[in-house]
Amino acid sequence: MKLKSILLAAGLLLTGLAHADTVALWSYSPDRGGIISTKPTYTDNGNASFDPLGVATTFVSQAGSSDTTAGSMALNTAGYAAQGTGDRTTGVRFSIDTTGFENIVLSFDQRNSATASAWTALQYTLDGENWIEATTFRMLRDSVFVKGLGFDFSDIAGVDNNANFAVQLVSMFAPGTQGYSATGASSNYGTAGTIRYDMVLFAGSLIPEVEVPEVPEPASILLTLAALGAMGVSIRRRKQA
């Protein structure tokens, strides 16, 4: 199975899906009461949640992200692991119920400070317990949003129609090393580094409903058999005549 990482163009939230439905979205927009929280802005099934993984979260400006909604914010994460410790343990987790959907695609915007880890691993689970690494991202620019990062899960068996599906984005050591690499070219990694997320979108297509032929009631079957029997008797009588 080939896992496909994708950089989604601005304004295009899906690859290969002309007509897509939103399964879950975190845009950090104020609710009707004007409150911004880590709850999803929208979920189709009503079953989606967010969990921080060893980091503190606050809401900050979303300027530069793909979200232009007035009053919206971005999720800021801080307090990542010390240099040389906690590889792939700190970050954010999004749990999404994909029941009724297939061809799931993830899209999100990310902004790293100069001292944040340049490398992030995207992991997913099908059972809520065992995690599989889908791909990794390397941020080459600091202090600006990189829009439309994403991953296409449509080829991965088990993601569709799954109430236990979840993903997590966790800071990781630079490949082949035992430590984090800073995002800023002239910076050193530090625990004061921050990572912002915005417009975290899971989209997919509705699974077509399969029409199941109606099974006749036993009484209907008996009546049909009786009618066929009567027809047989009538035919024999005609032949005898």
Side-chain angles (χ1 to χ4, degrees), residues 171-204:
S171 288
M172 59 175 282
F173 292 165
T177 75
Q178 295 299 310
Y180 301 104
S181 175
T183 303
S186 58
S187 301
N188 294 319
Y189 172 83
T191 56
T194 62
I195 299 178
R196 299 183 190 183
Y197 293 102
D198 198 12
M199 294 302 290
V200 181
L201 171 70
F202 293 86

Side-chain angles (χ1 to χ4, degrees), residues 2-238:
K2 181 179 180 181
L3 302 182
K4 301 179 295 181
S5 62
I6 53 177
L7 180 60
L8 302 176
L12 293 178
L13 299 176
L14 297 172
T15 296
L17 295 177
H19 303 286
D21 295 285
T22 298
V23 182
L25 169 67
W26 281 262
S27 64
Y28 307 107
S29 301
D31 61 18
R32 293 180 180 179
I35 298 174
I36 298 176
S37 71
T38 57
K39 294 180 179 179
T41 309
Y42 171 84
T43 61
D44 184 86
N45 294 322
N47 297 322
S49 61
F50 166 84
D51 293 291
L53 302 175
V55 297
T57 61
T58 55
F59 297 106
V60 295
S61 172
Q62 95 288 19
S65 80
S66 55
D67 184 10
T68 58
T69 305
S72 287
M73 304 289 278
L75 179 73
N76 188 66
T77 59
Y80 283 86
Q83 179 62 281
T85 67
D87 181 37
R88 292 174 170 84
T89 61
T90 52
V92 293
R93 177 181 298 168
F94 299 91
S95 302
I96 314 93
D97 182 355
T98 65
T99 300
F101 288 91
E102 61 185 359
N103 301 321
I104 304 300
V105 175
L106 163 66
S107 174
F108 62 95
D109 299 346
Q110 181 174 330
R111 180 185 188 274
N112 284 22
S113 68
T115 57
S117 170
W119 291 88
T120 301
L122 173 64
Q123 302 174 336
Y124 69 94
T125 181
L126 302 177
D127 58 12
E129 296 181 2
N130 298 294
W131 293 87
I132 304 167
E133 191 153 300
T135 192
T136 60
F137 300 98
R138 182 186 181 186
M139 298 290 282
L140 299 175
R141 293 178 292 168
D142 67 89
S143 305
V144 295
F145 267 106
V146 176
K147 305 174 186 178
L149 293 169
F151 189 82
D152 183 352
F153 288 96
S154 59
D155 287 346
I156 301 179
V159 173
D160 300 345
N161 204 37
N162 187 343
N164 296 314
F165 177 64
V167 305
Q168 55 190 28
L169 291 159
V170 287
S171 288
M172 59 175 282
F173 292 165
T177 75
Q178 295 299 310
Y180 301 104
S181 175
T183 303
S186 58
S187 301
N188 294 319
Y189 172 83
T191 56
T194 62
I195 299 178
R196 299 183 190 183
Y197 293 102
D198 198 12
M199 294 302 290
V200 181
L201 171 70
F202 293 86
S205 54
L206 287 169
I207 297 174
E209 294 185 4
V210 178
E211 294 186 5
V212 180
E214 293 185 5
V215 179
E217 295 291 334
S220 299
I221 295 174
L222 291 175
L223 289 173
T224 301
L225 292 175
L228 290 173
M231 289 176 62
V233 171
S234 176
I235 292 171
R236 286 196 298 271
R237 285 177 178 175
R238 289 178 183 176

